[in-house]
């Protein structure tokens, strides 16, 4: 014989009940079954809400009562043929009349005792079971039995203790004499020895089914709900979570204790003792496998699931007077026990200086008063500190029977959380090693669960979440490259790179599941108004793991928010040189904050676009080499300009072409004034270990003062046309010496300069073509023949590829 239990969502309305009846009919064809049902979805909560309203003299309870009655009559009319409805409606009306009388008593007396509340909350199951039994009888033979006639429990009305000796005898006698193929019973309800209605508490309908299954030695207990079993994590929080096919009783109890609401811990106990398997099934997808809970765990995987429970308060009792003095723990736990406060987690320092416990938020204030009173003398004597409360917390737990056979799981757990700036307030692990629990901020729960699920359950694919600002030439090419390489990254590098946030100077758009890069322009155009603060706040509030802020602009205001992102453990990738070329103190602060918060700060494209210049320099320094001298052509735009400028071309036209092809900044004066190159050599000097400011870089200008003093691009280009003779003279001065013009940056023994130079034909810079960059590093290891890096150093595509490479570096950390 099997016992099937259907939860509130499974019987929420007439359509769902029809699905339930189909499952019951199929299950009963080959054997007898007992069916336990909950109240219609959310009915019990509504009944309790109405009771409190009535006791508080709030007449809104009448509206709640009427809505409940209408819903139940609606189910009857949709489920039962009209010729069979009369007697059923009459009986249900009697129950609602009785319920109304009880509510009126609460209203008049302004009183709601546990006994009365238990009576009121019992109506949900009594109504649903009667209606469903009548509907079932229309299709197959069904016996209806009130569980109160079988299950006897204590007068702790809202969470009664079962008298198993009497209950088991009642159940065995009834089912031994019952000839019906299907017996339908209400869950949750029981009676006292004095025949007074009592209830079995949270998860009471599951418990009813387990009690029946154990008493009659059922072959299986089936729990039918709205999900396809117990999941590796809460699927509403972790989208990649999947059902666990086979799990042990102990694993199920651990997971259910820490928030897996598919089943409640007390449910398991009666069937565990008799080793009756439990099968969790989905009412709405009955063909799916579900989860089998049995004596043995199904696989050798060390972690079976990740669970969490929210709304936790951490209470700390601390003081030097606790050390070596027995009885403190006893007094603490006894004081809370006497006031029915449940302790969810316990941890104690080996120094005996403190005891931490986790309890529900709703009990926090009461618990503090109780504990402070219990230790009032020690607090007055300053042997113990007043209790400290930390709220807005949650507990996350790794669960698995085989955890004890695998080393390093704790390390993996805490390392993964640490990399995502999830602060751990307390840790607990039992000696059985079936559970590792950690207390964290409630706001970090989603990020923590997804991080751990990725670590322990998913193919080693790391999700990287990008928040991108700037969608001009470079930004647009970056998005195109990300779209093009998405499948490649996932297949070959095991990286799932998603753009979650996107902004330009006017609009921003966010999508936690990832912005569709095929139509990002349309999405952004229809986005909400943006600002640097709003974009940051939205990114911060989403609190996603492995988050990276990507700056594709040349905007100073954007560079000033990097520190805020880094302090939230959000990595920063940028081609914007302003931050790293800002005041030395700011540069050092960004580096320090990056290390402190384990947030990568990468800016390879600050020098040489996609060339690995900074990365190579870092490798030299990290391996113990020292830089003495750097010579470089670092402006792809200036190299392009002077490679194409001659007596047959105007300087104005060459610069305009460079801008059109994306080789210059939006303001080309930044490149031609030497400021851009000065920033680049400054960054290389700083990365080499030298403390320089931008003002320390000598800039030898070749632009006329008139051009340098312009305030917009139109005026700048006009000045270039006006001063064409000046530029032709610069060209002729080099050409007459058979030299080429190159804008060169030099750093020698702590000093740096930038300026236009005449490069002879035997120099490595002479044949530098197009927009290429070249860097020569003279170091301890390369004193005579420098380390040379050469290649394309400007352009939207190569700059975007450098940003892309930095994103991949973060993904591979």
């Amino acid at each position: 014989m099997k016992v099937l239990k259907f939860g509130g969502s499974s019987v929420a309305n007439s359509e769902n009940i029809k699905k339930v009846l189909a499952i019951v009919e199929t299950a009963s064809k080959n054997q007898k079954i007992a069916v336990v049902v909950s109240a219609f979805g959310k009915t019990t909560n509504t009944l309790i809400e109405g009771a409190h309203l009535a006791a508080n003299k709030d007449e809104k309870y009448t509206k709640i009562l009427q809505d409940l009655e209408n819903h139940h009559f609606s189910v009857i009319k949709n489920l039962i043929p009209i010729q069979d409805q009369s007697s059923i409606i009459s009986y249900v009306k009697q129950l609602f009349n009785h319920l109304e009388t009880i509510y009126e008593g609460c209203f008049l007396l302004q009183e709601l005792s546990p006994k009365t509340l238990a009576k009121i909350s019992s109506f949900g199951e009594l109504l649903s079971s009667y209606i469903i039994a009548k509907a079932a009888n229309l299709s197959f033979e069904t016996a209806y039995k009130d569980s109160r006639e079988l299950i006897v429990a204590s007068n702790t009305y809202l969470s009664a203790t079962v008298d198993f000796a009497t209950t088991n005898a009642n159940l065995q006698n009834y089912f031994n004499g019952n000839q019906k193929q299907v017996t339908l019973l209400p869950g949750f309800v029981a009676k006292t020895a004095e025949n007074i209605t009592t209830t079995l508490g949270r998860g009471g309908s599951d418990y009813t089914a387990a009690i029946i299954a154990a008493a009659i030695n059922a072959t299986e207990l089936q729990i039918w709900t709205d999900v396809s079993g117990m999941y590796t994590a809460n699927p509403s929080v972790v989208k990649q979570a999947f059902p666990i096919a086979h799990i042990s009783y102990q694993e199920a109890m651990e997971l259910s204790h820490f928030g897996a609401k598919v089943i409640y811990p007390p449910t398991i106990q009666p069937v565990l003792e008799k080793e009756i398997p439990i099968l969790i099934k989905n009412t709405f997808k009955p063909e799916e496998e579900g989860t089998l809970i049995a004596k043995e765990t199904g696989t050798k995987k060390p972690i079976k699931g990740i669970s969490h429970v929210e709304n936790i308060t951490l209470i700390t009792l601390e003081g030097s007077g606790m050390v070596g003095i027995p009885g403190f723990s006893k007094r603490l736990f006894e004081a809370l026990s006497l006031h029915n406060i449940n302790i969810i987690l316990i941890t104690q320092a080996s120094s005996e200086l403190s005891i931490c416990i986790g309890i529900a938020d709703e009990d926090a204030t009461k618990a503090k008063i109780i504990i402070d009173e219990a230790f009032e003398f020690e607090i007055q004597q300053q042997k113990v500190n007043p209790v400290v409360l930390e709220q807005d917390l949650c507990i996350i737990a790794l669960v698995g029977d085989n955890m004890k056979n695998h080393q390093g799981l704790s390390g993996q757990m805490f390392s993964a959380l640490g990399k995502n700036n999830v602060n751990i307030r307390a840790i607990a692990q039992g000696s059985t090693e079936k559970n590792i629990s950690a207390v964290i901020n409630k706001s970090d729960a989603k990020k923590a669960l997804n991080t751990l699920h990725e670590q322990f359950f998913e193919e080693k694919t790391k999700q990287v979440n990008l928040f991108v600002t700037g969608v001009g030439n470079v930004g647009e090419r970056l998005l195109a490259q990300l779209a093009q390489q998405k499948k490649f990254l996932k297949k070959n590098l095991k990286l799932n790179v998603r753009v979650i946030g996107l902004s330009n100077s006017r609009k921003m758009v966010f999508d936690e599941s990832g912005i569709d890069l095929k139509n990002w322009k349309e999405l952004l155009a229809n986005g909400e108004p943006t600002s640097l603060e709003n974009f940051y706040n939205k990114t911060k509030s989403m609190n996603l793991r492995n988050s990276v802020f990507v700056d594709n602009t040349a905007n100073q205001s954007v560079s000033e928010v990097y520190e805020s992102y880094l302090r939230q453990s959000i990595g920063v990738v940028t081609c914007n040189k302003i931050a790293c070329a800002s005041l030395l103190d700011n540069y050092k602060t960004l580096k320090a904050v990056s290390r402190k918060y384990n947030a990568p700060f990468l800016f390879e494209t600050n020098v040489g676009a996609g060339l690995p210049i900074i990365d190579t320099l870092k490798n030299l320094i990290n391996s113990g080499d020292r830089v003495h001298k750097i010579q470089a052509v670092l402006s792809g735009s200036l190299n392009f300009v002077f490679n194409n400028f001659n007596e047959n071309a105007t300087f104005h036209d060459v610069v305009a072409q460079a801008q059109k092809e994306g080789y210059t900044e939006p303001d080309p004066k930044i490149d031609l004034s030497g400021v851009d190159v000065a920033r680049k050599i400054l960054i290389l000097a700083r990365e080499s270990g030298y403390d320089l400011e931008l003002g320390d870089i000598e800039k030898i200008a070749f632009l006329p003062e008139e051009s340098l003093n312009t305030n917009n691009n139109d005026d700048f280009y006009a000045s270039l046309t006006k001063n064409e003779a000046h530029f032709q003279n610069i060209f002729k001065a080099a050409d007459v010496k058979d030299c080429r013009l190159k804008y060169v940056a030099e750093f020698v023994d702590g000093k740096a300069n930038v300026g236009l130079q005449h490069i002879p034909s035997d120099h490595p810079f002479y044949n530098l073509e197009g927009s290429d960059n070249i860097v020569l590093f003279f170091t301890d290891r390369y004193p005579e023949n420098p380390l040379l890096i050469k290649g394309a150093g400007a352009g939207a595509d190569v700059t975007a590829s450098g940003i892309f490479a930095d994103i991949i570096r973060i993904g591979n950390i």
Side-chain angles (χ1 to χ4, degrees):
M1 186 171 181
K2 292 183 179 180
V3 178
L4 283 64
K5 180 265 174 179
F6 293 90
S9 58
S10 297
V11 295
N13 53 53
S14 56
E15 290 303 312
N16 291 1
I17 293 170
K18 289 175 184 177
K19 293 180 172 66
V20 168
L21 296 178
I23 292 168
V24 170
E25 186 171 15
T26 300
S28 64
K29 285 181 179 178
N30 299 318
Q31 62 183 313
K32 288 184 178 181
I33 61 171
V35 178
V36 176
V37 296
S38 296
F40 295 163
K42 300 182 180 180
T43 295
T44 303
N45 288 341
T46 305
L47 286 166
I48 292 170
E49 180 188 356
H52 285 291
L53 288 172
N56 289 324
K57 269 304 196 192
D58 189 334
E59 293 186 351
K60 290 178 184 175
Y61 82 87
T62 59
K63 174 68 164 56
I64 283 180
L65 183 61
Q66 188 60 56
D67 288 345
L68 279 174
E69 185 173 326
N70 291 340
H71 177 60
H72 283 74
F73 286 155
S74 173
V75 170
I76 294 169
K77 290 173 183 177
N78 289 327
L79 204 60
I80 309 292
I82 191 167
Q83 66 271 18
D84 298 314
Q85 291 177 7
S86 179
S87 61
I88 300 170
I89 290 175
S90 176
Y91 180 78
V92 168
K93 183 62 179 175
Q94 288 179 34
L95 289 180
F96 273 106
N97 288 341
H98 187 189
L99 177 59
E100 183 179 16
T101 301
I102 299 172
Y103 273 151
E104 287 174 351
C106 294
F107 184 86
L108 293 171
L109 296 174
Q110 297 183 55
E111 182 178 275
L112 183 62
S113 68
K115 180 179 178 181
T116 302
L117 187 58
K119 179 72 173 177
I120 290 170
S121 58
S122 72
F123 275 82
E125 273 73 11
L126 297 177
L127 286 161
S128 66
S129 60
Y130 177 79
I131 294 169
I132 295 170
K134 291 298 183 181
N137 243 328
L138 297 173
S139 301
F140 47 88
E141 196 174 25
T142 303
Y144 173 68
K145 187 65 175 177
D146 189 337
S147 299
R148 293 177 297 179
E149 298 174 14
L150 303 172
I151 300 176
V152 179
S154 69
N155 60 2
T156 310
Y157 294 100
L158 300 179
S159 186
T161 302
V162 175
D163 176 353
F164 278 101
T166 305
T167 296
N168 288 343
N170 290 345
L171 287 165
Q172 289 160 9
N173 289 336
Y174 173 75
F175 280 100
N176 286 338
N178 177 40
Q179 300 302 314
K180 296 288 179 71
Q181 195 75 358
V182 176
T183 303
L184 199 140
L185 310 94
F188 183 58
V189 297
K191 70 170 182 180
T192 67
E194 295 75 30
N195 287 321
I196 299 171
T197 296
T198 188
T199 60
L200 301 179
R202 185 169 177 259
S205 291
D206 286 357
Y207 194 26
T208 300
I211 292 166
I212 295 170
I216 64 175
N217 290 310
T219 56
E220 186 175 78
L221 169 59
Q222 295 182 2
I223 306 292
W224 290 80
T225 181
D226 56 2
V227 293
S228 298
M230 299 190 81
Y231 278 65
T232 48
N234 186 338
S236 66
V237 178
V238 181
K239 302 302 181 185
Q240 295 80 17
F242 54 87
I244 308 167
H246 196 161
I247 194 170
S248 73
Y249 293 121
Q250 288 75 18
E251 289 169 332
M253 289 179 75
E254 291 279 4
L255 284 173
S256 59
H257 176 70
F258 282 101
K261 297 179 176 61
V262 174
I263 194 169
Y264 294 97
T267 301
I268 301 174
Q269 195 61 46
V271 292
L272 182 151
E273 294 174 359
K274 294 196 173 183
E275 297 183 7
I276 297 170
I278 305 172
L279 183 61
I280 311 294
K281 293 280 285 181
N282 190 337
T283 302
F284 309 104
K285 297 178 182 178
E287 71 283 356
E288 294 190 355
E289 184 179 4
T291 298
L292 180 65
I293 305 173
K295 181 179 180 181
E296 300 295 335
T297 187
T299 67
K300 296 300 180 184
K301 290 183 178 179
I303 308 295
K304 273 301 183 67
I306 307 166
S307 198
H308 80 295
V309 56
E310 294 188 341
N311 303 318
I312 295 295
T313 293
L314 198 64
I315 294 183
T316 303
L317 182 66
E318 183 178 18
S320 58
M322 296 169 60
V323 179
I325 307 298
F328 270 91
S329 299
K330 174 183 178 295
R331 290 168 60 193
L332 172 64
F333 300 142
E334 188 174 63
L336 295 174
S337 174
L338 290 173
H339 291 83
N340 295 316
I341 294 177
N342 183 46
I343 298 173
I344 300 170
L345 176 141
I346 303 168
T347 181
Q348 181 173 15
S350 59
S351 63
E352 300 183 57
L353 276 170
S354 66
I355 302 173
C356 283
I357 60 171
I359 64 172
D361 279 347
E362 61 195 41
D363 293 328
T365 304
K366 178 181 176 183
K368 175 173 171 56
I369 295 170
I370 292 165
I371 297 170
D372 283 344
E373 287 179 354
F375 294 94
E376 183 178 8
F377 175 77
E378 286 84 356
I379 292 171
Q380 289 177 350
Q381 296 295 312
Q382 297 186 338
K383 293 180 178 180
V384 172
N385 300 329
V387 165
V388 175
L389 299 184
E390 294 178 71
Q391 295 188 290
D392 296 321
L393 303 174
C394 75
I395 300 173
I396 54 172
L398 294 185
V399 173
D401 281 350
N402 292 320
M403 288 169 59
K404 60 185 176 183
N405 299 320
H406 289 76
Q407 289 74 35
L409 294 178
S410 298
Q412 291 181 54
M413 176 183 181
F414 301 133
S415 174
L417 294 176
K419 286 179 180 178
N420 282 279
N421 197 33
V422 177
N423 186 38
I424 297 172
R425 297 294 306 118
I427 300 167
Q429 180 175 15
S431 59
T432 60
E433 298 185 53
K434 293 180 180 180
N435 178 311
I436 305 172
S437 301
V439 181
I440 64 172
N441 290 328
K442 185 168 68 173
S443 60
D444 286 331
K446 182 176 182 179
K447 178 165 68 173
L449 287 167
N450 278 277
T451 296
L452 294 177
H453 197 273
E454 183 178 81
Q455 177 72 30
F456 291 108
F457 288 102
E458 298 169 33
E459 184 184 8
K460 295 302 178 181
T461 298
K462 183 176 183 180
Q463 188 177 102
V464 180
N465 298 301
L466 305 183
F467 297 85
V468 180
T469 189
V471 291
N473 287 339
V474 174
E476 184 172 356
R477 295 310 306 148
L478 174 64
L479 295 176
Q481 291 174 15
L482 288 169
Q484 176 187 320
Q485 293 298 104
K486 183 174 180 65
K487 291 182 180 179
F488 175 88
L489 294 177
K490 201 164 187 178
K491 179 179 179 181
N492 295 279
L493 299 185
K494 305 303 181 187
L495 291 176
N496 180 19
V497 181
R498 312 183 309 163
V499 177
I500 304 299
L502 197 58
S503 78
N504 56 22
S505 59
R506 301 175 301 280
K507 298 281 189 175
M508 66 180 186
V509 62
F510 290 86
D511 186 340
E512 192 168 334
S513 62
I515 293 170
D516 183 358
L517 296 183
K518 293 179 181 177
N519 64 337
W520 66 264
K521 291 183 180 180
E522 180 183 348
L523 293 170
L524 185 58
N526 294 315
E528 59 185 296
T530 189
S531 69
L532 291 175
E533 183 180 6
N534 289 343
F535 193 79
Y536 165 73
N537 288 335
K538 181 68 173 180
T539 301
K540 176 184 172 184
S541 67
M542 293 183 83
N543 200 18
L544 299 179
R545 67 195 187 282
N546 306 321
S547 291
V548 181
F549 173 65
V550 182
D551 176 15
N552 299 315
T553 75
N555 187 293
Q556 177 159 342
S557 297
V558 177
S559 74
E560 291 170 355
V561 300
Y562 293 172
E563 184 179 344
S564 298
Y565 282 98
L566 294 171
R567 287 188 180 278
Q568 296 300 320
S569 289
I570 297 171
V572 173
V573 170
T574 180
C575 61
N576 187 343
K577 291 173 280 293
I578 294 175
C580 289
S582 63
L583 293 175
L584 181 63
D585 284 347
N586 185 58
Y587 166 82
K588 288 187 171 182
T589 296
L590 291 175
K591 288 278 196 169
V593 171
S594 170
R595 290 189 296 270
K596 179 178 180 180
Y597 291 94
N598 198 30
F601 177 37
L602 301 182
F603 43 89
E604 182 65 70
T605 49
N606 278 195
V607 181
L611 294 176
I613 295 172
I614 292 176
D615 191 53
T616 300
L617 178 57
K618 285 180 178 179
N619 290 336
L620 290 173
I621 301 301
N622 291 339
S623 64
D625 204 354
R626 290 183 302 166
V627 173
H628 303 297
K629 179 180 177 181
I630 301 172
Q631 286 185 313
V633 174
L634 294 173
S635 174
S637 54
L638 282 170
N639 199 42
F640 178 89
V641 168
F642 286 109
N643 279 338
N644 288 277
F645 177 56
N646 53 49
E647 70 274 11
N648 298 318
T650 68
F651 196 72
H652 169 283
D653 290 349
V654 173
V655 173
Q657 183 185 355
Q659 184 178 20
K660 181 180 179 181
E661 295 188 21
Y663 293 129
T664 73
E665 299 286 353
D667 177 2
K669 189 173 69 174
I670 295 174
D671 297 284
L672 273 66
S673 67
V675 171
D676 188 60
V677 177
R679 286 170 175 163
K680 291 176 179 178
I681 195 66
L682 173 64
I683 292 167
L684 292 182
R686 286 176 171 178
E687 290 295 299
S688 299
Y690 293 88
D691 291 347
L692 292 181
E693 297 284 9
L694 186 60
D696 297 328
I697 311 297
E698 181 185 2
K699 293 185 284 293
I700 305 166
F702 70 88
L703 288 177
E705 283 293 325
E706 180 182 357
S707 299
L708 289 171
N709 292 330
T710 57
N711 296 316
N712 56 66
N713 282 1
D714 289 342
D715 290 347
F716 177 71
Y717 277 111
S719 76
L720 298 186
T721 301
K722 182 178 179 182
N723 289 279
E724 178 63 23
H726 166 77
F727 298 116
Q728 287 293 339
N729 288 335
I730 291 174
F731 170 75
K732 290 174 183 177
D735 188 53
V736 75
K737 299 178 183 178
D738 197 24
C739 291
R740 287 187 171 184
L741 291 169
K742 302 292 178 186
Y743 199 87
V744 178
E746 287 188 319
F747 171 76
V748 183
D749 295 329
K751 295 183 178 180
N753 66 81
V754 297
L756 202 57
Q757 294 186 13
H758 296 169
I759 303 299
S761 59
D762 60 348
H763 194 283
F765 294 172
Y766 184 83
N767 291 314
L768 195 65
E769 300 296 336
S771 62
D772 285 1
N773 281 191
I774 186 170
V775 179
L776 307 178
F777 288 119
F778 295 85
T779 72
D780 286 350
R781 295 175 192 152
Y782 300 92
E784 302 294 335
N785 296 313
L787 176 62
L788 183 151
I789 302 171
K790 178 182 176 182
D797 273 317
V798 292
T799 303
S801 70
I803 296 170
F804 196 119
D806 274 347
I807 292 169
I808 300 307
R809 286 188 183 95
I810 291 179
N812 288 329
I813 292 175

